[in-house]
């Protein structure tokens, strides 16, 4: 089937008669820069990518000019969530996600899908209508259609996002979500199996936050995660990778490289890959001074990456945005002085920051992954 782009080109072809002037292409000037983060990553057979908001994609050409320079992969920050894809129980709307997919194809970037199952960003109709009788059908219909629509275009799926919350007191530390209430723990099996069936070639990821620090509540989350992953693997549920979101906190002192390395080794020993899926470094606990903030963020990220990247199971790094022009942190965890945060590799002028150098540097010193 032709992609939307080629279909449009085919339709336009008869209008471009022999005498027609060549079509004008409005391309933003390509900034001339040293190799981008994905080049550093690909030297190690890894990838670097960023979450892209489709509003930015449509409106900020300067921002978007830097995406193909830095990235080998993109992920929809919002476009692949149920609230975007499912306006009504009987309808799918792929327009936003297709926009990103078309962009990615045009720039030869790989595409991640995020997320097939999450307890947040769902349409209002979903939770009230779920029952133990209809939930499996609703879930498999969503995954079959969505993964089917992006078959061979999305190379990695966050199949289940944020499945654990030990404080909820459920088996394996599972979070008490709409899906757990309707289906019990087997919602996870159903999701991974449906995804595998709809596109066997896409990497299937279980994505989670709060696994990064040597804090008691995160220790409980790591243990719950290992228990969950072991159980899934023992029962041949087709999970293939753990996504460590890696929303880091530049002011957090409990970053223990030994704890991180051990956790990655434990995950890898289950035969799983690891993807750093949503990295950013918040600075709402740091002073206002920009040079100081940037240096602290960069050092923090470098310490984190130096602990995690040595494990060859780690196949790539994705940041939750590319430039400080837009970060979810300014809405969800604003600084008390209201200054914008600086959590991403490029600043608001799209200049590379110390954090950029930390990511490049950490990739440069890691090992080449096996072919
Ligand atoms: C956030 C997006 O950045 C926001 O734009 C959106 O409103 C809500 O979701 N963990 C996740 C992501 O898995 O989906 C979240 O993204 C950030 C935290």
């Amino acid at each position: 089937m032709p992609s939307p782009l080629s279909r449009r080109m085919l339709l336009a072809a008869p209008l471009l008669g022999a005498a027609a002037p060549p079509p004008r292409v409005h391309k933003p000037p390509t900034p001339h820069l040293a190799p981008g983060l994905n080049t550093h990553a690909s030297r190690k057979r890894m990838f670097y990518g960023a979450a892209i908001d489709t509003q930015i994609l449509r409106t900020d050409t300067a921002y978007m000019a830097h995406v193909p320079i830095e990235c080998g992969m993109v992920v929809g920050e919002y476009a692949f969530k149920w609230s975007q894809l499912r306006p009504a129980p009987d309808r799918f709307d792929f327009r936003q996600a297709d926009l990103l997919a078309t962009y990615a194809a045009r720039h030869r970037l790989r595409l991640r899908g995020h997320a097939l199952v999450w307890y947040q960003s769902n349409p209002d109709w979903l939770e009230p209508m779920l029952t133990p009788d209809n939930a499996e059908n609703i879930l498999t219909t969503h995954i079959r259609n969505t993964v089917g629509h992006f078959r061979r275009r999305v190379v990695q799926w966050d199949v289940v996002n944020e499945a654990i919350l030990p404080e909820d007191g459920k088996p394996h530390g599972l979070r008490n979500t709409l899906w757990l209430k309707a289906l019990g723990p087997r919602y996870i099996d159903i999701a991974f199996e449906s995804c595998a069936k709809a596109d066997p070639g896409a990497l299937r990821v279980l994505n989670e936050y709060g696994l990064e620090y040597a804090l008691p509540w995160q220790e409980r989350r790591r243990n719950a995660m290992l228990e969950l992953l072991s159980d899934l693997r023992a029962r041949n549920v087709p999970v293939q990778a753990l996504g460590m979101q890696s929303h880091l906190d530049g002011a957090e002192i409990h970053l223990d490289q030994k704890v991180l390395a051990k956790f990655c080794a434990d995950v890898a020993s289950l035969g799983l890959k690891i993807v750093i899926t949503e990295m950013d470094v918040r600075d709402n606990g740091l002073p206002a001074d920009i040079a100081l903030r940037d240096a602290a963020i960069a050092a923090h990220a470098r310490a984190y990456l130096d602990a995690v990247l040595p494990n060859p199971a780690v196949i790539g790094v994705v940041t939750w945005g590319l430039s400080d022009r837009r970060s979810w942190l300014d809405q969800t965890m604003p600084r008390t002085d209201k200054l914008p945060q600086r959590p991403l590799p490029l600043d608001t002028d799209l200049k590379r920051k110390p954090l950029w150098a930390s990511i490049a540097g950490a990739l440069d010193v890691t090992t080449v992954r096996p072919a």
Side-chain angles (χ1 to χ4, degrees):
M1 217 181 69
S3 71
L5 180 66
S6 59
R7 208 180 303 130
R8 218 183 303 133
M9 285 162 66
L10 285 175
L11 288 172
L15 301 173
L16 302 172
R24 271 191 292 161
V25 182
H26 296 282
K27 261 197 175 169
T30 306
H32 295 286
L33 290 169
L37 290 174
N38 188 61
T39 304
H40 289 263
S42 55
R43 288 174 189 147
K44 306 302 165 75
R45 278 197 207 97
M46 297 175 70
F47 60 84
Y48 167 79
I52 302 297
D53 176 71
T54 46
Q55 172 83 7
I56 298 262
L57 171 56
R58 284 194 309 265
T59 58
D60 195 339
T61 46
Y63 187 125
M64 292 309 295
H66 287 260
V67 172
I69 296 170
E70 302 293 355
C71 298
M73 189 164 325
V74 288
V75 55
E77 185 172 338
Y78 204 62
F80 291 82
K81 292 172 180 171
W82 278 67
S83 44
Q84 282 289 305
L85 296 182
R86 302 302 304 280
D90 57 350
R91 279 208 298 125
F92 284 78
D93 180 349
F94 291 117
R95 282 176 299 181
Q96 294 300 312
D98 278 339
L99 202 66
L100 189 63
T102 304
Y103 170 84
R106 188 180 296 154
H107 293 276
R108 297 177 195 278
L109 303 172
R110 285 181 289 171
L111 183 62
R112 308 189 78 245
H114 169 90
L116 295 171
V117 182
W118 193 23
Y119 74 98
Q120 275 182 36
S121 292
N122 289 313
D124 289 343
W125 57 261
L126 181 61
E127 185 154 12
M129 83 175 277
L130 281 187
T131 68
D133 287 336
N134 67 15
E136 179 165 356
N137 186 37
I138 292 173
L139 185 57
T140 56
T141 301
H142 179 77
I143 294 176
R144 186 175 60 246
N145 281 285
T146 304
V147 176
H149 182 83
F150 292 104
R151 191 175 148 94
R152 296 203 191 90
R153 293 193 288 163
V154 164
V155 299
Q156 302 183 358
W157 277 106
D158 287 337
V159 179
V160 178
N161 192 30
E162 302 184 350
I164 59 172
L165 187 63
E167 290 73 18
D168 278 348
K170 299 289 171 188
H172 301 310
L174 288 179
R175 182 185 280 268
N176 196 14
T177 70
L178 64 169
W179 295 108
L180 192 86
K181 286 175 195 158
L183 291 167
R186 72 189 185 96
Y187 86 86
I188 297 178
D189 308 17
I190 295 168
F192 278 97
E193 275 152 16
S194 315
C195 185
K197 213 162 137 194
D199 185 356
L203 186 81
R204 293 174 294 276
V205 180
L206 180 67
N207 196 43
E208 193 56 78
Y209 74 92
L211 303 169
E212 296 83 14
Y213 292 115
L215 296 163
W217 67 275
Q218 298 212 359
E219 185 64 27
R220 287 194 289 277
R221 295 177 64 78
R222 280 190 292 276
N223 290 336
M225 180 51 81
L226 289 172
E227 190 187 314
L228 173 61
L229 290 172
S230 311
D231 172 70
L232 295 173
R233 293 289 285 155
R235 293 185 300 102
N236 289 319
V237 176
V239 55
Q240 295 173 307
L242 171 67
M244 293 178 73
Q245 289 187 3
S246 311
H247 291 294
L248 304 176
D249 176 354
E252 179 54 68
I253 56 168
H254 296 95
L255 192 154
D256 185 327
Q257 293 185 314
K258 286 204 185 76
V259 168
L260 277 165
K262 170 77 164 63
F263 179 66
C264 292
D266 288 345
V267 173
S269 75
L270 295 170
L272 296 165
K273 301 288 186 205
I274 298 171
V275 184
I276 296 173
T277 49
E278 304 184 15
M279 194 172 99
D280 51 20
V281 189
R282 65 178 175 270
D283 62 36
N284 56 344
L286 294 173
D289 181 80
I290 286 183
L292 194 150
R293 266 198 277 166
D294 283 357
I297 285 167
H300 193 85
R302 183 67 196 255
Y304 178 73
L305 292 173
D306 281 348
V308 171
L309 295 192
N311 194 314
V314 180
I315 59 173
V317 177
V318 177
T319 53
W320 207 240
L322 179 61
S323 147
D324 295 338
R325 283 189 184 192
R326 180 198 148 83
S327 165
W328 72 301
L329 294 167
D330 285 325
Q331 273 71 53
T332 48
M333 300 173 218
R335 293 176 57 91
T336 48
D337 60 14
K338 302 284 198 305
L339 287 173
Q341 299 212 40
R342 303 178 59 81
L344 293 166
L346 306 185
D347 69 13
T348 49
D349 294 327
L350 304 166
K351 297 271 187 314
R352 292 171 173 172
K353 291 164 52 194
L355 175 59
W356 185 98
S358 280
I359 300 172
L363 288 165
D364 288 346
V365 300
T366 197
T367 53
V368 180
R369 277 24 181 176

